[in-house]
Amino acid sequence: MADVVELILADHRRFEEMFRELRDRTSNRATVLGELAAVLVAHAEAEEAEVYPALKRYSAVENEEVDHGAEEHHEGNEKLLALMEVADTSSEEWEAKLEELVKATNHHLDEEERTILNDARSEVPAERKDELGKAFWEARNRRLDQRCGEIEYVRKLVSKHGS
């Protein structure tokens, strides 16, 4: 098992790879989108359940940045749902919604890596990062097992946050 920072960064690189696949008109976009939805939702929920609350306990990690990260997860879920609701993966609408999701997600990844994860890398002891890595990975995989990337689940997430 790796430390939490390394696990999160590995997922971030995976998102970027899936975005490249989604931009490729020859790929099976529906399949890739299903995989992306599952990992994106599982990743965000695991961060919010296991990682963000723990990192708030460290004075070097800005609580505002952690709260902002959770808000960006919600924005990403909204963009993800908008893309999932477009049936024709070859349409201009689908392309536009994909770019909105890519932009929102990349913005979040960049901010999270520069703030929260850099602070965690330098301030959180290695043993604690390993413990958080294990908790993050287990929570992430539980969400994946619960099929969190299905459109109905994403709809519930978006509507829950909106109410």
mmCIF file with all atom_site columns, all heavy atoms in Angstrom, residues 5-31:
data_model
loop_
_atom_site.group_PDB
_atom_site.id
_atom_site.type_symbol
_atom_site.label_atom_id
_atom_site.label_alt_id
_atom_site.label_comp_id
_atom_site.label_asym_id
_atom_site.label_entity_id
_atom_site.label_seq_id
_atom_site.pdbx_PDB_ins_code
_atom_site.Cartn_x
_atom_site.Cartn_y
_atom_site.Cartn_z
_atom_site.occupancy
_atom_site.B_iso_or_equiv
_atom_site.pdbx_formal_charge
_atom_site.auth_seq_id
_atom_site.auth_comp_id
_atom_site.auth_asym_id
_atom_site.auth_atom_id
_atom_site.pdbx_PDB_model_num
ATOM 1   N N   . VAL A 1 5  ? -0.927  10.462 -0.441  1.00 0.00 ? 5  VAL A N   1
ATOM 2   C CA  . VAL A 1 5  ? -0.597  11.442 -1.486  1.00 0.00 ? 5  VAL A CA  1
ATOM 3   C C   . VAL A 1 5  ? -0.308  10.713 -2.792  1.00 0.00 ? 5  VAL A C   1
ATOM 4   O O   . VAL A 1 5  ? -0.814  11.097 -3.854  1.00 0.00 ? 5  VAL A O   1
ATOM 5   C CB  . VAL A 1 5  ? 0.590   12.333 -1.052  1.00 0.00 ? 5  VAL A CB  1
ATOM 6   C CG1 . VAL A 1 5  ? 1.041   13.233 -2.199  1.00 0.00 ? 5  VAL A CG1 1
ATOM 7   C CG2 . VAL A 1 5  ? 0.223   13.161 0.181   1.00 0.00 ? 5  VAL A CG2 1
ATOM 8   N N   . GLU A 1 6  ? 0.468   9.653  -2.724  1.00 0.00 ? 6  GLU A N   1
ATOM 9   C CA  . GLU A 1 6  ? 0.818   8.907  -3.943  1.00 0.00 ? 6  GLU A CA  1
ATOM 10  C C   . GLU A 1 6  ? -0.410  8.246  -4.568  1.00 0.00 ? 6  GLU A C   1
ATOM 11  O O   . GLU A 1 6  ? -0.550  8.213  -5.793  1.00 0.00 ? 6  GLU A O   1
ATOM 12  C CB  . GLU A 1 6  ? 1.908   7.872  -3.654  1.00 0.00 ? 6  GLU A CB  1
ATOM 13  C CG  . GLU A 1 6  ? 3.222   8.498  -3.193  1.00 0.00 ? 6  GLU A CG  1
ATOM 14  C CD  . GLU A 1 6  ? 3.729   9.610  -4.097  1.00 0.00 ? 6  GLU A CD  1
ATOM 15  O OE1 . GLU A 1 6  ? 3.729   9.444  -5.337  1.00 0.00 ? 6  GLU A OE1 1
ATOM 16  O OE2 . GLU A 1 6  ? 4.107   10.676 -3.561  1.00 0.00 ? 6  GLU A OE2 1
ATOM 17  N N   . LEU A 1 7  ? -1.301  7.720  -3.748  1.00 0.00 ? 7  LEU A N   1
ATOM 18  C CA  . LEU A 1 7  ? -2.523  7.096  -4.272  1.00 0.00 ? 7  LEU A CA  1
ATOM 19  C C   . LEU A 1 7  ? -3.424  8.115  -4.955  1.00 0.00 ? 7  LEU A C   1
ATOM 20  O O   . LEU A 1 7  ? -3.970  7.859  -6.034  1.00 0.00 ? 7  LEU A O   1
ATOM 21  C CB  . LEU A 1 7  ? -3.285  6.389  -3.150  1.00 0.00 ? 7  LEU A CB  1
ATOM 22  C CG  . LEU A 1 7  ? -2.617  5.138  -2.585  1.00 0.00 ? 7  LEU A CG  1
ATOM 23  C CD1 . LEU A 1 7  ? -3.351  4.662  -1.339  1.00 0.00 ? 7  LEU A CD1 1
ATOM 24  C CD2 . LEU A 1 7  ? -2.539  4.042  -3.622  1.00 0.00 ? 7  LEU A CD2 1
ATOM 25  N N   . ILE A 1 8  ? -3.574  9.267  -4.339  1.00 0.00 ? 8  ILE A N   1
ATOM 26  C CA  . ILE A 1 8  ? -4.405  10.319 -4.936  1.00 0.00 ? 8  ILE A CA  1
ATOM 27  C C   . ILE A 1 8  ? -3.793  10.793 -6.246  1.00 0.00 ? 8  ILE A C   1
ATOM 28  O O   . ILE A 1 8  ? -4.494  10.946 -7.256  1.00 0.00 ? 8  ILE A O   1
ATOM 29  C CB  . ILE A 1 8  ? -4.617  11.473 -3.931  1.00 0.00 ? 8  ILE A CB  1
ATOM 30  C CG1 . ILE A 1 8  ? -5.528  11.008 -2.787  1.00 0.00 ? 8  ILE A CG1 1
ATOM 31  C CG2 . ILE A 1 8  ? -5.180  12.707 -4.629  1.00 0.00 ? 8  ILE A CG2 1
ATOM 32  C CD1 . ILE A 1 8  ? -5.659  11.986 -1.632  1.00 0.00 ? 8  ILE A CD1 1
ATOM 33  N N   . LEU A 1 9  ? -2.489  10.997 -6.250  1.00 0.00 ? 9  LEU A N   1
ATOM 34  C CA  . LEU A 1 9  ? -1.823  11.439 -7.479  1.00 0.00 ? 9  LEU A CA  1
ATOM 35  C C   . LEU A 1 9  ? -1.945  10.397 -8.586  1.00 0.00 ? 9  LEU A C   1
ATOM 36  O O   . LEU A 1 9  ? -2.112  10.753 -9.762  1.00 0.00 ? 9  LEU A O   1
ATOM 37  C CB  . LEU A 1 9  ? -0.347  11.755 -7.205  1.00 0.00 ? 9  LEU A CB  1
ATOM 38  C CG  . LEU A 1 9  ? -0.084  13.006 -6.367  1.00 0.00 ? 9  LEU A CG  1
ATOM 39  C CD1 . LEU A 1 9  ? 1.396   13.115 -6.037  1.00 0.00 ? 9  LEU A CD1 1
ATOM 40  C CD2 . LEU A 1 9  ? -0.589  14.261 -7.059  1.00 0.00 ? 9  LEU A CD2 1
ATOM 41  N N   . ALA A 1 10 ? -1.883  9.130  -8.237  1.00 0.00 ? 10 ALA A N   1
ATOM 42  C CA  . ALA A 1 10 ? -2.040  8.066  -9.247  1.00 0.00 ? 10 ALA A CA  1
ATOM 43  C C   . ALA A 1 10 ? -3.428  8.141  -9.879  1.00 0.00 ? 10 ALA A C   1
ATOM 44  O O   . ALA A 1 10 ? -3.572  7.990  -11.101 1.00 0.00 ? 10 ALA A O   1
ATOM 45  C CB  . ALA A 1 10 ? -1.801  6.692  -8.617  1.00 0.00 ? 10 ALA A CB  1
ATOM 46  N N   . ASP A 1 11 ? -4.458  8.380  -9.071  1.00 0.00 ? 11 ASP A N   1
ATOM 47  C CA  . ASP A 1 11 ? -5.805  8.546  -9.620  1.00 0.00 ? 11 ASP A CA  1
ATOM 48  C C   . ASP A 1 11 ? -5.864  9.777  -10.523 1.00 0.00 ? 11 ASP A C   1
ATOM 49  O O   . ASP A 1 11 ? -6.477  9.743  -11.584 1.00 0.00 ? 11 ASP A O   1
ATOM 50  C CB  . ASP A 1 11 ? -6.844  8.680  -8.506  1.00 0.00 ? 11 ASP A CB  1
ATOM 51  C CG  . ASP A 1 11 ? -7.472  7.354  -8.097  1.00 0.00 ? 11 ASP A CG  1
ATOM 52  O OD1 . ASP A 1 11 ? -7.157  6.314  -8.715  1.00 0.00 ? 11 ASP A OD1 1
ATOM 53  O OD2 . ASP A 1 11 ? -8.288  7.365  -7.153  1.00 0.00 ? 11 ASP A OD2 1
ATOM 54  N N   . HIS A 1 12 ? -5.228  10.856 -10.110 1.00 0.00 ? 12 HIS A N   1
ATOM 55  C CA  . HIS A 1 12 ? -5.231  12.075 -10.925 1.00 0.00 ? 12 HIS A CA  1
ATOM 56  C C   . HIS A 1 12 ? -4.644  11.804 -12.311 1.00 0.00 ? 12 HIS A C   1
ATOM 57  O O   . HIS A 1 12 ? -5.199  12.248 -13.323 1.00 0.00 ? 12 HIS A O   1
ATOM 58  C CB  . HIS A 1 12 ? -4.444  13.189 -10.241 1.00 0.00 ? 12 HIS A CB  1
ATOM 59  C CG  . HIS A 1 12 ? -5.123  13.768 -9.043  1.00 0.00 ? 12 HIS A CG  1
ATOM 60  N ND1 . HIS A 1 12 ? -4.590  14.832 -8.353  1.00 0.00 ? 12 HIS A ND1 1
ATOM 61  C CD2 . HIS A 1 12 ? -6.284  13.449 -8.409  1.00 0.00 ? 12 HIS A CD2 1
ATOM 62  C CE1 . HIS A 1 12 ? -5.398  15.144 -7.346  1.00 0.00 ? 12 HIS A CE1 1
ATOM 63  N NE2 . HIS A 1 12 ? -6.422  14.304 -7.352  1.00 0.00 ? 12 HIS A NE2 1
ATOM 64  N N   . ARG A 1 13 ? -3.542  11.075 -12.346 1.00 0.00 ? 13 ARG A N   1
ATOM 65  C CA  . ARG A 1 13 ? -2.944  10.759 -13.654 1.00 0.00 ? 13 ARG A CA  1
ATOM 66  C C   . ARG A 1 13 ? -3.872  9.852  -14.466 1.00 0.00 ? 13 ARG A C   1
ATOM 67  O O   . ARG A 1 13 ? -3.957  9.960  -15.685 1.00 0.00 ? 13 ARG A O   1
ATOM 68  C CB  . ARG A 1 13 ? -1.572  10.086 -13.482 1.00 0.00 ? 13 ARG A CB  1
ATOM 69  C CG  . ARG A 1 13 ? -0.533  10.895 -12.698 1.00 0.00 ? 13 ARG A CG  1
ATOM 70  C CD  . ARG A 1 13 ? -0.098  12.224 -13.295 1.00 0.00 ? 13 ARG A CD  1
ATOM 71  N NE  . ARG A 1 13 ? -1.009  13.327 -13.182 1.00 0.00 ? 13 ARG A NE  1
ATOM 72  C CZ  . ARG A 1 13 ? -1.130  14.141 -12.097 1.00 0.00 ? 13 ARG A CZ  1
ATOM 73  N NH1 . ARG A 1 13 ? -0.401  13.940 -11.024 1.00 0.00 ? 13 ARG A NH1 1
ATOM 74  N NH2 . ARG A 1 13 ? -1.982  15.136 -12.105 1.00 0.00 ? 13 ARG A NH2 1
ATOM 75  N N   . ARG A 1 14 ? -4.593  8.966  -13.767 1.00 0.00 ? 14 ARG A N   1
ATOM 76  C CA  . ARG A 1 14 ? -5.546  8.080  -14.452 1.00 0.00 ? 14 ARG A CA  1
ATOM 77  C C   . ARG A 1 14 ? -6.686  8.901  -15.064 1.00 0.00 ? 14 ARG A C   1
ATOM 78  O O   . ARG A 1 14 ? -7.126  8.624  -16.176 1.00 0.00 ? 14 ARG A O   1
ATOM 79  C CB  . ARG A 1 14 ? -6.083  7.045  -13.467 1.00 0.00 ? 14 ARG A CB  1
ATOM 80  C CG  . ARG A 1 14 ? -6.972  6.011  -14.112 1.00 0.00 ? 14 ARG A CG  1
ATOM 81  C CD  . ARG A 1 14 ? -7.283  4.880  -13.169 1.00 0.00 ? 14 ARG A CD  1
ATOM 82  N NE  . ARG A 1 14 ? -8.209  3.953  -13.810 1.00 0.00 ? 14 ARG A NE  1
ATOM 83  C CZ  . ARG A 1 14 ? -8.975  3.113  -13.157 1.00 0.00 ? 14 ARG A CZ  1
ATOM 84  N NH1 . ARG A 1 14 ? -8.909  3.031  -11.843 1.00 0.00 ? 14 ARG A NH1 1
ATOM 85  N NH2 . ARG A 1 14 ? -9.786  2.314  -13.800 1.00 0.00 ? 14 ARG A NH2 1
ATOM 86  N N   . PHE A 1 15 ? -7.168  9.917  -14.331 1.00 0.00 ? 15 PHE A N   1
ATOM 87  C CA  . PHE A 1 15 ? -8.221  10.777 -14.883 1.00 0.00 ? 15 PHE A CA  1
ATOM 88  C C   . PHE A 1 15 ? -7.733  11.438 -16.167 1.00 0.00 ? 15 PHE A C   1
ATOM 89  O O   . PHE A 1 15 ? -8.460  11.498 -17.156 1.00 0.00 ? 15 PHE A O   1
ATOM 90  C CB  . PHE A 1 15 ? -8.627  11.880 -13.892 1.00 0.00 ? 15 PHE A CB  1
ATOM 91  C CG  . PHE A 1 15 ? -9.161  11.398 -12.575 1.00 0.00 ? 15 PHE A CG  1
ATOM 92  C CD1 . PHE A 1 15 ? -8.954  12.142 -11.428 1.00 0.00 ? 15 PHE A CD1 1
ATOM 93  C CD2 . PHE A 1 15 ? -9.871  10.216 -12.465 1.00 0.00 ? 15 PHE A CD2 1
ATOM 94  C CE1 . PHE A 1 15 ? -9.435  11.723 -10.205 1.00 0.00 ? 15 PHE A CE1 1
ATOM 95  C CE2 . PHE A 1 15 ? -10.360 9.775  -11.242 1.00 0.00 ? 15 PHE A CE2 1
ATOM 96  C CZ  . PHE A 1 15 ? -10.142 10.541 -10.112 1.00 0.00 ? 15 PHE A CZ  1
ATOM 97  N N   . GLU A 1 16 ? -6.514  11.939 -16.134 1.00 0.00 ? 16 GLU A N   1
ATOM 98  C CA  . GLU A 1 16 ? -5.963  12.616 -17.310 1.00 0.00 ? 16 GLU A CA  1
ATOM 99  C C   . GLU A 1 16 ? -5.875  11.664 -18.502 1.00 0.00 ? 16 GLU A C   1
ATOM 100 O O   . GLU A 1 16 ? -6.178  12.054 -19.635 1.00 0.00 ? 16 GLU A O   1
ATOM 101 C CB  . GLU A 1 16 ? -4.590  13.206 -16.985 1.00 0.00 ? 16 GLU A CB  1
ATOM 102 C CG  . GLU A 1 16 ? -4.677  14.359 -15.992 1.00 0.00 ? 16 GLU A CG  1
ATOM 103 C CD  . GLU A 1 16 ? -3.352  14.729 -15.362 1.00 0.00 ? 16 GLU A CD  1
ATOM 104 O OE1 . GLU A 1 16 ? -2.346  14.003 -15.571 1.00 0.00 ? 16 GLU A OE1 1
ATOM 105 O OE2 . GLU A 1 16 ? -3.317  15.738 -14.626 1.00 0.00 ? 16 GLU A OE2 1
ATOM 106 N N   . GLU A 1 17 ? -5.494  10.426 -18.247 1.00 0.00 ? 17 GLU A N   1
ATOM 107 C CA  . GLU A 1 17 ? -5.428  9.428  -19.320 1.00 0.00 ? 17 GLU A CA  1
ATOM 108 C C   . GLU A 1 17 ? -6.825  9.138  -19.873 1.00 0.00 ? 17 GLU A C   1
ATOM 109 O O   . GLU A 1 17 ? -7.017  9.037  -21.089 1.00 0.00 ? 17 GLU A O   1
ATOM 110 C CB  . GLU A 1 17 ? -4.770  8.140  -18.807 1.00 0.00 ? 17 GLU A CB  1
ATOM 111 C CG  . GLU A 1 17 ? -4.692  7.036  -19.842 1.00 0.00 ? 17 GLU A CG  1
ATOM 112 C CD  . GLU A 1 17 ? -3.902  7.408  -21.089 1.00 0.00 ? 17 GLU A CD  1
ATOM 113 O OE1 . GLU A 1 17 ? -2.917  8.161  -20.985 1.00 0.00 ? 17 GLU A OE1 1
ATOM 114 O OE2 . GLU A 1 17 ? -4.297  6.953  -22.186 1.00 0.00 ? 17 GLU A OE2 1
ATOM 115 N N   . MET A 1 18 ? -7.798  9.016  -18.993 1.00 0.00 ? 18 MET A N   1
ATOM 116 C CA  . MET A 1 18 ? -9.168  8.760  -19.449 1.00 0.00 ? 18 MET A CA  1
ATOM 117 C C   . MET A 1 18 ? -9.706  9.948  -20.238 1.00 0.00 ? 18 MET A C   1
ATOM 118 O O   . MET A 1 18 ? -10.450 9.758  -21.208 1.00 0.00 ? 18 MET A O   1
ATOM 119 C CB  . MET A 1 18 ? -10.073 8.391  -18.278 1.00 0.00 ? 18 MET A CB  1
ATOM 120 C CG  . MET A 1 18 ? -9.812  6.965  -17.782 1.00 0.00 ? 18 MET A CG  1
ATOM 121 S SD  . MET A 1 18 ? -11.066 6.400  -16.599 1.00 0.00 ? 18 MET A SD  1
ATOM 122 C CE  . MET A 1 18 ? -10.223 6.713  -15.067 1.00 0.00 ? 18 MET A CE  1
ATOM 123 N N   . PHE A 1 19 ? -9.339  11.158 -19.858 1.00 0.00 ? 19 PHE A N   1
ATOM 124 C CA  . PHE A 1 19 ? -9.764  12.328 -20.642 1.00 0.00 ? 19 PHE A CA  1
ATOM 125 C C   . PHE A 1 19 ? -9.184  12.267 -22.054 1.00 0.00 ? 19 PHE A C   1
ATOM 126 O O   . PHE A 1 19 ? -9.863  12.600 -23.024 1.00 0.00 ? 19 PHE A O   1
ATOM 127 C CB  . PHE A 1 19 ? -9.348  13.629 -19.960 1.00 0.00 ? 19 PHE A CB  1
ATOM 128 C CG  . PHE A 1 19 ? -10.158 13.968 -18.735 1.00 0.00 ? 19 PHE A CG  1
ATOM 129 C CD1 . PHE A 1 19 ? -9.566  14.632 -17.674 1.00 0.00 ? 19 PHE A CD1 1
ATOM 130 C CD2 . PHE A 1 19 ? -11.495 13.634 -18.633 1.00 0.00 ? 19 PHE A CD2 1
ATOM 131 C CE1 . PHE A 1 19 ? -10.298 14.963 -16.545 1.00 0.00 ? 19 PHE A CE1 1
ATOM 132 C CE2 . PHE A 1 19 ? -12.236 13.956 -17.500 1.00 0.00 ? 19 PHE A CE2 1
ATOM 133 C CZ  . PHE A 1 19 ? -11.633 14.626 -16.454 1.00 0.00 ? 19 PHE A CZ  1
ATOM 134 N N   . ARG A 1 20 ? -7.934  11.848 -22.168 1.00 0.00 ? 20 ARG A N   1
ATOM 135 C CA  . ARG A 1 20 ? -7.337  11.695 -23.506 1.00 0.00 ? 20 ARG A CA  1
ATOM 136 C C   . ARG A 1 20 ? -8.128  10.670 -24.320 1.00 0.00 ? 20 ARG A C   1
ATOM 137 O O   . ARG A 1 20 ? -8.396  10.877 -25.501 1.00 0.00 ? 20 ARG A O   1
ATOM 138 C CB  . ARG A 1 20 ? -5.866  11.285 -23.402 1.00 0.00 ? 20 ARG A CB  1
ATOM 139 C CG  . ARG A 1 20 ? -4.937  12.446 -23.067 1.00 0.00 ? 20 ARG A CG  1
ATOM 140 C CD  . ARG A 1 20 ? -3.471  12.079 -23.186 1.00 0.00 ? 20 ARG A CD  1
ATOM 141 N NE  . ARG A 1 20 ? -2.986  11.258 -22.098 1.00 0.00 ? 20 ARG A NE  1
ATOM 142 C CZ  . ARG A 1 20 ? -2.641  11.723 -20.893 1.00 0.00 ? 20 ARG A CZ  1
ATOM 143 N NH1 . ARG A 1 20 ? -2.729  13.004 -20.621 1.00 0.00 ? 20 ARG A NH1 1
ATOM 144 N NH2 . ARG A 1 20 ? -2.208  10.909 -19.959 1.00 0.00 ? 20 ARG A NH2 1
ATOM 145 N N   . GLU A 1 21 ? -8.502  9.564  -23.686 1.00 0.00 ? 21 GLU A N   1
ATOM 146 C CA  . GLU A 1 21 ? -9.290  8.544  -24.385 1.00 0.00 ? 21 GLU A CA  1
ATOM 147 C C   . GLU A 1 21 ? -10.660 9.083  -24.790 1.00 0.00 ? 21 GLU A C   1
ATOM 148 O O   . GLU A 1 21 ? -11.149 8.794  -25.879 1.00 0.00 ? 21 GLU A O   1
ATOM 149 C CB  . GLU A 1 21 ? -9.471  7.305  -23.505 1.00 0.00 ? 21 GLU A CB  1
ATOM 150 C CG  . GLU A 1 21 ? -8.235  6.453  -23.364 1.00 0.00 ? 21 GLU A CG  1
ATOM 151 C CD  . GLU A 1 21 ? -8.512  5.216  -22.531 1.00 0.00 ? 21 GLU A CD  1
ATOM 152 O OE1 . GLU A 1 21 ? -9.428  4.446  -22.905 1.00 0.00 ? 21 GLU A OE1 1
ATOM 153 O OE2 . GLU A 1 21 ? -7.830  5.038  -21.501 1.00 0.00 ? 21 GLU A OE2 1
ATOM 154 N N   . LEU A 1 22 ? -11.269 9.875  -23.907 1.00 0.00 ? 22 LEU A N   1
ATOM 155 C CA  . LEU A 1 22 ? -12.598 10.414 -24.206 1.00 0.00 ? 22 LEU A CA  1
ATOM 156 C C   . LEU A 1 22 ? -12.551 11.429 -25.353 1.00 0.00 ? 22 LEU A C   1
ATOM 157 O O   . LEU A 1 22 ? -13.515 11.574 -26.092 1.00 0.00 ? 22 LEU A O   1
ATOM 158 C CB  . LEU A 1 22 ? -13.213 11.053 -22.958 1.00 0.00 ? 22 LEU A CB  1
ATOM 159 C CG  . LEU A 1 22 ? -13.680 10.063 -21.900 1.00 0.00 ? 22 LEU A CG  1
ATOM 160 C CD1 . LEU A 1 22 ? -14.019 10.772 -20.603 1.00 0.00 ? 22 LEU A CD1 1
ATOM 161 C CD2 . LEU A 1 22 ? -14.861 9.238  -22.396 1.00 0.00 ? 22 LEU A CD2 1
ATOM 162 N N   . ARG A 1 23 ? -11.441 12.104 -25.488 1.00 0.00 ? 23 ARG A N   1
ATOM 163 C CA  . ARG A 1 23 ? -11.294 13.066 -26.596 1.00 0.00 ? 23 ARG A CA  1
ATOM 164 C C   . ARG A 1 23 ? -11.051 12.366 -27.925 1.00 0.00 ? 23 ARG A C   1
ATOM 165 O O   . ARG A 1 23 ? -11.233 12.966 -28.985 1.00 0.00 ? 23 ARG A O   1
ATOM 166 C CB  . ARG A 1 23 ? -10.158 14.032 -26.297 1.00 0.00 ? 23 ARG A CB  1
ATOM 167 C CG  . ARG A 1 23 ? -10.517 15.078 -25.268 1.00 0.00 ? 23 ARG A CG  1
ATOM 168 C CD  . ARG A 1 23 ? -9.334  15.944 -24.953 1.00 0.00 ? 23 ARG A CD  1
ATOM 169 N NE  . ARG A 1 23 ? -9.730  17.148 -24.231 1.00 0.00 ? 23 ARG A NE  1
ATOM 170 C CZ  . ARG A 1 23 ? -8.959  17.731 -23.328 1.00 0.00 ? 23 ARG A CZ  1
ATOM 171 N NH1 . ARG A 1 23 ? -7.772  17.229 -23.031 1.00 0.00 ? 23 ARG A NH1 1
ATOM 172 N NH2 . ARG A 1 23 ? -9.374  18.825 -22.730 1.00 0.00 ? 23 ARG A NH2 1
ATOM 173 N N   . ASP A 1 24 ? -10.626 11.116 -27.870 1.00 0.00 ? 24 ASP A N   1
ATOM 174 C CA  . ASP A 1 24 ? -10.346 10.328 -29.069 1.00 0.00 ? 24 ASP A CA  1
ATOM 175 C C   . ASP A 1 24 ? -11.661 9.791  -29.627 1.00 0.00 ? 24 ASP A C   1
ATOM 176 O O   . ASP A 1 24 ? -12.302 8.934  -29.026 1.00 0.00 ? 24 ASP A O   1
ATOM 177 C CB  . ASP A 1 24 ? -9.402  9.174  -28.706 1.00 0.00 ? 24 ASP A CB  1
ATOM 178 C CG  . ASP A 1 24 ? -9.071  8.273  -29.875 1.00 0.00 ? 24 ASP A CG  1
ATOM 179 O OD1 . ASP A 1 24 ? -9.638  8.461  -30.978 1.00 0.00 ? 24 ASP A OD1 1
ATOM 180 O OD2 . ASP A 1 24 ? -8.247  7.361  -29.675 1.00 0.00 ? 24 ASP A OD2 1
ATOM 181 N N   . ARG A 1 25 ? -12.040 10.278 -30.795 1.00 0.00 ? 25 ARG A N   1
ATOM 182 C CA  . ARG A 1 25 ? -13.328 9.890  -31.388 1.00 0.00 ? 25 ARG A CA  1
ATOM 183 C C   . ARG A 1 25 ? -13.375 8.418  -31.790 1.00 0.00 ? 25 ARG A C   1
ATOM 184 O O   . ARG A 1 25 ? -14.448 7.883  -32.025 1.00 0.00 ? 25 ARG A O   1
ATOM 185 C CB  . ARG A 1 25 ? -13.626 10.766 -32.603 1.00 0.00 ? 25 ARG A CB  1
ATOM 186 C CG  . ARG A 1 25 ? -13.897 12.199 -32.249 1.00 0.00 ? 25 ARG A CG  1
ATOM 187 C CD  . ARG A 1 25 ? -14.054 13.056 -33.503 1.00 0.00 ? 25 ARG A CD  1
ATOM 188 N NE  . ARG A 1 25 ? -14.239 14.445 -33.148 1.00 0.00 ? 25 ARG A NE  1
ATOM 189 C CZ  . ARG A 1 25 ? -15.411 15.063 -33.181 1.00 0.00 ? 25 ARG A CZ  1
ATOM 190 N NH1 . ARG A 1 25 ? -16.497 14.422 -33.563 1.00 0.00 ? 25 ARG A NH1 1
ATOM 191 N NH2 . ARG A 1 25 ? -15.512 16.332 -32.847 1.00 0.00 ? 25 ARG A NH2 1
ATOM 192 N N   . THR A 1 26 ? -12.219 7.751  -31.834 1.00 0.00 ? 26 THR A N   1
ATOM 193 C CA  . THR A 1 26 ? -12.211 6.331  -32.210 1.00 0.00 ? 26 THR A CA  1
ATOM 194 C C   . THR A 1 26 ? -12.336 5.409  -31.005 1.00 0.00 ? 26 THR A C   1
ATOM 195 O O   . THR A 1 26 ? -12.485 4.205  -31.170 1.00 0.00 ? 26 THR A O   1
ATOM 196 C CB  . THR A 1 26 ? -10.925 5.968  -32.993 1.00 0.00 ? 26 THR A CB  1
ATOM 197 O OG1 . THR A 1 26 ? -9.802  6.121  -32.126 1.00 0.00 ? 26 THR A OG1 1
ATOM 198 C CG2 . THR A 1 26 ? -10.771 6.845  -34.225 1.00 0.00 ? 26 THR A CG2 1
ATOM 199 N N   . SER A 1 27 ? -12.269 5.960  -29.804 1.00 0.00 ? 27 SER A N   1
ATOM 200 C CA  . SER A 1 27 ? -12.377 5.105  -28.618 1.00 0.00 ? 27 SER A CA  1
ATOM 201 C C   . SER A 1 27 ? -13.842 4.804  -28.323 1.00 0.00 ? 27 SER A C   1
ATOM 202 O O   . SER A 1 27 ? -14.742 5.463  -28.841 1.00 0.00 ? 27 SER A O   1
ATOM 203 C CB  . SER A 1 27 ? -11.720 5.782  -27.413 1.00 0.00 ? 27 SER A CB  1
ATOM 204 O OG  . SER A 1 27 ? -12.502 6.874  -26.965 1.00 0.00 ? 27 SER A OG  1
ATOM 205 N N   . ASN A 1 28 ? -14.059 3.815  -27.476 1.00 0.00 ? 28 ASN A N   1
ATOM 206 C CA  . ASN A 1 28 ? -15.420 3.511  -27.036 1.00 0.00 ? 28 ASN A CA  1
ATOM 207 C C   . ASN A 1 28 ? -15.752 4.475  -25.900 1.00 0.00 ? 28 ASN A C   1
ATOM 208 O O   . ASN A 1 28 ? -15.541 4.183  -24.726 1.00 0.00 ? 28 ASN A O   1
ATOM 209 C CB  . ASN A 1 28 ? -15.526 2.055  -26.576 1.00 0.00 ? 28 ASN A CB  1
ATOM 210 C CG  . ASN A 1 28 ? -16.950 1.681  -26.230 1.00 0.00 ? 28 ASN A CG  1
ATOM 211 O OD1 . ASN A 1 28 ? -17.765 2.524  -25.873 1.00 0.00 ? 28 ASN A OD1 1
ATOM 212 N ND2 . ASN A 1 28 ? -17.242 0.404  -26.325 1.00 0.00 ? 28 ASN A ND2 1
ATOM 213 N N   . ARG A 1 29 ? -16.237 5.631  -26.278 1.00 0.00 ? 29 ARG A N   1
ATOM 214 C CA  . ARG A 1 29 ? -16.441 6.716  -25.320 1.00 0.00 ? 29 ARG A CA  1
ATOM 215 C C   . ARG A 1 29 ? -17.416 6.355  -24.207 1.00 0.00 ? 29 ARG A C   1
ATOM 216 O O   . ARG A 1 29 ? -17.214 6.761  -23.055 1.00 0.00 ? 29 ARG A O   1
ATOM 217 C CB  . ARG A 1 29 ? -16.912 7.959  -26.058 1.00 0.00 ? 29 ARG A CB  1
ATOM 218 C CG  . ARG A 1 29 ? -15.820 8.600  -26.877 1.00 0.00 ? 29 ARG A CG  1
ATOM 219 C CD  . ARG A 1 29 ? -16.362 9.732  -27.707 1.00 0.00 ? 29 ARG A CD  1
ATOM 220 N NE  . ARG A 1 29 ? -15.335 10.705 -28.005 1.00 0.00 ? 29 ARG A NE  1
ATOM 221 C CZ  . ARG A 1 29 ? -15.556 11.813 -28.680 1.00 0.00 ? 29 ARG A CZ  1
ATOM 222 N NH1 . ARG A 1 29 ? -16.779 12.096 -29.112 1.00 0.00 ? 29 ARG A NH1 1
ATOM 223 N NH2 . ARG A 1 29 ? -14.576 12.658 -28.914 1.00 0.00 ? 29 ARG A NH2 1
ATOM 224 N N   . ALA A 1 30 ? -18.461 5.640  -24.510 1.00 0.00 ? 30 ALA A N   1
ATOM 225 C CA  . ALA A 1 30 ? -19.446 5.287  -23.479 1.00 0.00 ? 30 ALA A CA  1
ATOM 226 C C   . ALA A 1 30 ? -18.812 4.415  -22.404 1.00 0.00 ? 30 ALA A C   1
ATOM 227 O O   . ALA A 1 30 ? -19.037 4.615  -21.209 1.00 0.00 ? 30 ALA A O   1
ATOM 228 C CB  . ALA A 1 30 ? -20.649 4.589  -24.113 1.00 0.00 ? 30 ALA A CB  1
ATOM 229 N N   . THR A 1 31 ? -17.998 3.447  -22.816 1.00 0.00 ? 31 THR A N   1
ATOM 230 C CA  . THR A 1 31 ? -17.324 2.572  -21.860 1.00 0.00 ? 31 THR A CA  1
ATOM 231 C C   . THR A 1 31 ? -16.332 3.351  -21.006 1.00 0.00 ? 31 THR A C   1
ATOM 232 O O   . THR A 1 31 ? -16.297 3.211  -19.779 1.00 0.00 ? 31 THR A O   1
ATOM 233 C CB  . THR A 1 31 ? -16.610 1.426  -22.602 1.00 0.00 ? 31 THR A CB  1
ATOM 234 O OG1 . THR A 1 31 ? -17.594 0.667  -23.310 1.00 0.00 ? 31 THR A OG1 1
ATOM 235 C CG2 . THR A 1 31 ? -15.866 0.516  -21.639 1.00 0.00 ? 31 THR A CG2 1
#
